[in-house]
Amino acid sequence: MSLDGFCMGVKMCGYPLDVRRPAFPGSLTDLHRFRKTAHGHDGSSRIVMVRKTDQRTFASVKNGEEPKLETITRETIETFRGQRTECKITTEKKDYEETCPPDLIEALTDRVTKTSKRPSLKKRNIKMEFQIECLQAHNEYRRKHGVPPLRLNKEMCRLSQDWANHLIKKNVLQHSNNREYGENLFCIQSTNPNFSISGKEVVDNWYEEIKCHKFGVEPSSLSSGHFTQVVWKDSKELGVAFAKTGGKIVVVANYSPAGNIIGHFADNVPPPGGPHTNNNHIELTNGISKLSFNSIKVTHRLEQNVTEGNFEEDFLDAHNTYRRRHGVPPLKLERKLCKYSEEWAKHLAAKNILEHRPGSNYGENIYCLYSSDPNFTVNGHTPVDTWYEEVKLHPFGREPSNLKSGHFSQVIWRSSEALGVGVAKNSQGSIYVVANYSPAGNFVGHYIENVPPVKPAFYGEVTRGSKTRREEEEECTEEDVPDYQGEFNQFALDAVRVHNEYRRKHGVPELTLSLRLCQFAQEWADTCARTASLQHRANCPYGENIFSVYSSDFSHMPTARDAVKEWYDEAKQHNFGVERVNQGTLHFTQVVWKASRELGIGIAKNKRGQTYVVANYDPRGNYIGQFVENVPRPKP
């Protein structure tokens, strides 16, 4: 009897019912073994038997095997009493075919290929890949120098990312004020908005400064500072990140503990292949002291003499130089305020903390510098220069929304009249400088009238009456200097005056301005500004010094003293009486070169906020074999 595909109802009367549950067959092919009583009922209900067949075919592929067709056939018999299922039996049968149709194999292969590629579609974490590349590149170089590897620190990576975002947003490249970590910066720009750079390329760029480093001694310049931080032995952790806008990329790396600590270079920067000992010692410049901003955990006995020169006078002079630039009245030094400032400086040094005096009625600026060199000193210009650098953060013509430029605005606050300064150093090598101003500045609602921008015609408007007493005393007499006023601008006049101040210190003849040389220098200054490049003129027949400075405040202009002082400050690195070319002091030696007689100078600024100063000298200086004769020591 076939039950496939239909239902069958059976009515049987006169037979006694078998109340036992029937045993169903083990397979659907054994239906003929059912007894008739299996379908019995009481006459008022019916038993319905249904047979269902379900067949499915699969194409399966196993690694290393050809695809096969697998057919699964499921058959189900179900009986009902009324609306209820009384019994249900399902059997399953599998069949295999060794050969598979070619079109099915092709479709199956495509599907497997797409499935296997699916994990690679996961979105790449570009920043994490960059961090790992940087870490690997660091540790490759550190292995070359036999120093322990670095490890990534997530928190330091986050801080690096925050500063990189800040720099890319402000379109500047400057170090953060974070004193806890060492820091390396990198910036590159391309006209291609899709431009990218690998972490290894960045670290390679920093490491290339190894060419400028002299192993075994303390460095005399910052020319290898990125390299030395990369391989600094005591550094253990790295945080690195990048920010990008268009084709410009800024990279920030932080290191803990910080490197580049004065007095520790020989121990922490071994040459490739392993440690090397050299006990030679050279004098460090003030500029190199910037390397020690992050130095901590060093102790030395307290030094009483922590300042150089006439600190208070230089400190006041630095303030008034900047205030003249903005057209505000000069400050005067007040002894009462100096004592007040010194008290707080000593308090900060004793506690080794950096905080403002609570409840003070005066304006206050604080500067802190660390150095492991017990003989390190600070001059009066350095703190003021550091505070003034915040000028690039100040929104002239409106009230600021934050205090990022608060040190700068207090330096030039128009209403302030008196200044006091105090200095103290503690046993850990920390120098604290505290300045107080009366009346206090930085009052909300009064910034516009008290913090004016740089005077647009600053150089043309400087008159004798606006000079400080010190400048009056230092200025040459009319017999000493020819009358250039009709031929040269004020910048050139200031430049030759500052040059001759320094040359008199060394007992060499003064320079005179040359209109021909000024025109020559101005041409190259214009070229540097137009191309935004700091490079010497090719085949220049004259001696040449170049100075460059950047400011986001496009009205900012450096003074002639800023440029010439920058060149002359290299004197602290120069070895007098030795016939040797020191690449780090060639600006200074040209400034005081005895055989030079004429000076030409030019200044130019571009739309990017970059200012270039070019000075030319005739006859030129810096001849090998003539340094001892032409660069005498300063007079006692």
Side-chain angles (χ1 to χ4, degrees), residues 163 167 171-175 185-187 248 250-252 392 550:
W163 190 245
L167 296 179
N171 194 29
V172 296
L173 191 68
Q174 62 185 32
H175 285 284
L185 301 180
F186 175 85
C187 180
K248 183 175 183 179
V250 172
V251 180
V252 176
K392 62 190 71 173
Y550 164 81

Side-chain angles (χ1 to χ4, degrees), residues 198-360:
S198 69
K200 185 178 185 305
E201 290 177 286
V202 174
V203 183
D204 288 347
N205 184 276
W206 291 332
Y207 186 84
E208 284 181 0
E209 294 179 0
I210 188 176
K211 303 171 185 176
C212 306
H213 189 74
K214 187 174 182 181
F215 294 97
V217 298
E218 296 299 301
S220 58
S221 72
L222 296 172
S223 57
S224 63
H226 296 97
F227 154 70
T228 52
Q229 178 61 86
V230 167
V231 301
W232 193 262
K233 182 179 179 180
D234 286 348
S235 294
K236 297 294 186 291
E237 293 183 310
L238 170 70
V240 64
F242 75 90
K244 185 177 187 295
T245 178
K248 183 175 183 179
I249 299 175
V250 172
V251 180
V252 176
N254 280 292
Y255 304 81
S256 178
N260 291 342
I261 302 174
I262 294 175
H264 296 267
F265 278 84
D267 294 335
N268 281 277
V269 188
H276 174 70
T277 303
N278 189 329
N279 294 322
N280 292 339
H281 175 74
I282 58 174
E283 183 181 0
L284 299 180
T285 68
N286 289 331
I288 196 66
S289 68
K290 296 179 181 178
L291 289 173
S292 64
F293 280 4
N294 294 321
S295 63
I296 55 175
K297 300 179 182 178
V298 292
T299 59
H300 286 284
R301 64 184 180 85
L302 181 63
E303 297 289 338
Q304 298 298 324
N305 298 322
V306 298
T307 62
E308 62 180 70
N310 192 328
F311 182 86
E312 291 182 350
E313 186 176 345
D314 291 342
F315 191 78
L316 176 66
D317 179 70
H319 273 82
N320 289 335
T321 298
Y322 287 127
R323 291 173 69 87
R324 280 197 308 277
R325 183 177 294 179
H326 293 260
V328 299
L331 298 173
K332 61 179 181 295
L333 203 65
E334 188 174 285
R335 191 53 50 192
K336 175 184 175 183
L337 276 180
C338 288
K339 183 178 180 180
Y340 184 81
S341 301
E342 186 176 2
E343 288 175 358
W344 191 244
K346 290 180 178 178
H347 169 80
L348 298 180
K351 298 291 185 181
N352 201 24
I353 56 176
L354 194 65
E355 64 181 7
H356 285 286
R357 186 197 294 254
S360 175

Side-chain angles (χ1 to χ4, degrees), residues 503-523:
R503 291 175 69 88
R504 283 195 295 273
K505 289 184 179 181
H506 294 260
V508 300
E510 297 183 359
L511 299 174
T512 58
L513 277 176
S514 165
L515 185 60
R516 167 181 55 86
L517 282 181
C518 282
Q519 292 172 345
F520 186 82
Q522 187 61 52
E523 288 177 3

Side-chain angles (χ1 to χ4, degrees), residues 334 336-337 340 357 359-365 410 418 435-441:
E334 188 174 285
K336 175 184 175 183
L337 276 180
Y340 184 81
R357 186 197 294 254
S360 175
N361 294 322
Y362 305 111
E364 187 175 69
N365 277 349
Q410 178 60 86
N436 284 113
Y437 305 81
S438 178

Side-chain angles (χ1 to χ4, degrees), residues 129-145 147-150 152 198-207 227 230-231 238 240 255:
E129 291 178 3
F130 182 85
Q131 291 168 349
I132 293 174
E133 287 177 355
C134 280
L135 177 67
Q136 292 174 342
H138 273 83
N139 289 337
E140 285 178 10
Y141 284 127
R142 291 173 70 87
R143 279 194 296 273
K144 287 184 178 180
H145 293 259
V147 300
L150 299 174
L152 278 179
S198 69
K200 185 178 185 305
E201 290 177 286
V202 174
V203 183
D204 288 347
N205 184 276
W206 291 332
Y207 186 84
F227 154 70
V230 167
V231 301
L238 170 70
V240 64
Y255 304 81

